[in-house]
Amino acid sequence: MLFFTQCFGAVLDLIHLRFQHYKAKRVFSAAGQLVCVVNPTHSLKYAPTRCAAAQASTEQGILPPCHHHEAVHDPQLLPCTCPLFSCPWEGHLEVVVSHLRQTHRINILQGAEIVFLATDMHLPAPTDWIIMHSCLGHQFLLVLRKQEKYEGHPQFFATMMLIGTPSQADNFTYRLELNRNQRRLKWEATPRSILECVDSVISDGDCLVLNTSLAQLFSDNGSLAIGIAITTSKVHSSEAEV
């Protein structure tokens, strides 16, 4: 009976996944578009990251405490860029992708245009949906976060970060698009470098921002489908239009 129950549960999960995939295909019917179903990560607590702690200390005029090992610390080493965890890992930019995939099990999807299907949008904040996007010879990190910027008023923040330097990020333009029930909302901007804090980008509001009612308007049974397109461009523009 235990074996049967486990197998039956696995079959139900597979059916649910295929149903979510079908819904995304129905919303974004363009030929060749890939769909990535992204489940939320809700139970983790947001421990202050090193970049967030350093930013807070700077704003308060307090310098971060010195440690003995910092005297020989390699300045080229980067802290873990995954916003889900307070991870002690450090490494070079070239191995960030392998760390995110192997340690944090973040999925990667390839293609110039993909569909990011975030499930269970009703879960309370804070909640994250994260994937990596491989395109044009580079890797990008897409972060969708549900967070209360003001108490009792959760909002959704979506941003694209290039796993590369700021000068490399300037060569690209990304577009996030929501399209449902004859309504369309589009955000287009230059991606930020992963060397910057994801938390800072969200706090500054330099991303696609949706309040709860707007997110519900574009969601389908608790799932939000976001079309993603990345192009090479030197033109810096940032717009949101309905």
Side-chain angles (χ1 to χ4, degrees):
M1 288 297 294
L2 179 62
F3 176 78
F4 175 78
T5 302
Q6 291 177 342
C7 290
F8 185 69
V11 171
L12 286 180
D13 290 341
L14 180 60
I15 294 175
H16 177 70
L17 181 65
R18 296 294 298 175
F19 178 67
Q20 297 287 358
H21 186 277
Y22 166 75
K23 288 197 301 181
K25 281 294 186 182
R26 186 183 60 189
V27 175
F28 291 87
S29 58
Q33 275 191 315
L34 301 176
V35 177
C36 183
V37 179
V38 185
N39 295 319
T41 301
H42 170 68
S43 59
L44 298 176
K45 294 182 179 180
Y46 279 86
T49 59
R50 272 168 289 183
C51 59
Q55 181 183 9
S57 299
T58 303
E59 291 175 352
Q60 297 174 6
I62 304 173
L63 295 178
C66 294
H67 300 282
H68 178 70
H69 72 275
E70 291 183 353
V72 292
H73 179 72
D74 187 348
Q76 294 183 345
L77 291 180
L78 305 173
C80 176
T81 55
C82 183
L84 287 177
F85 303 92
S86 180
C87 177
W89 178 89
E90 287 185 330
H92 293 276
L93 185 61
E94 295 78 11
V95 294
V96 168
V97 173
S98 60
H99 169 73
L100 292 176
R101 295 196 67 182
Q102 296 173 9
T103 304
H104 301 302
R105 306 297 183 187
I106 296 180
N107 294 327
I108 186 168
L109 203 62
Q110 298 184 0
E113 296 187 8
I114 66 174
V115 176
F116 177 94
L117 183 65
T119 66
D120 300 322
M121 301 295 294
H122 62 278
L123 289 178
T127 305
D128 277 344
W129 296 260
I130 298 178
I131 62 166
M132 282 193 293
H133 183 188
S134 179
C135 178
L136 302 174
H138 289 76
Q139 284 73 41
F140 301 81
L141 188 70
L142 178 68
V143 179
L144 173 65
R145 176 175 298 173
K146 184 177 183 180
Q147 179 175 305
E148 288 189 357
K149 199 163 186 180
Y150 306 101
E151 185 175 358
H153 298 281
Q155 293 177 301
F156 293 88
F157 304 85
T159 186
M160 182 76 76
M161 311 286 289
L162 172 71
I163 303 179
T165 64
S167 59
Q168 291 175 324
D170 288 340
N171 296 325
F172 298 95
T173 298
Y174 76 95
R175 185 180 72 247
L176 305 179
E177 184 173 329
L178 291 83
N179 191 348
R180 185 172 181 268
N181 292 337
Q182 298 181 344
R183 299 177 179 88
R184 176 177 297 179
L185 187 146
K186 180 172 67 175
W187 167 269
E188 187 172 307
T190 300
R192 303 281 284 271
S193 168
I194 201 68
L195 300 179
E196 305 177 56
C197 254
V198 176
D199 294 338
S200 299
V201 175
I202 292 177
S203 297
D204 295 341
D206 186 17
C207 55
L208 175 63
V209 182
L210 305 172
N211 58 32
T212 303
S213 59
L214 193 57
Q216 290 177 349
L217 192 63
F218 285 96
S219 65
D220 183 10
N221 291 327
S223 296
L224 187 67
I226 304 177
I228 306 170
I230 300 177
T231 57
T232 55
S233 176
K234 284 288 186 179
V235 178
H236 306 300
S237 62
S238 177
E239 61 177 0
E241 62 184 34
V242 179

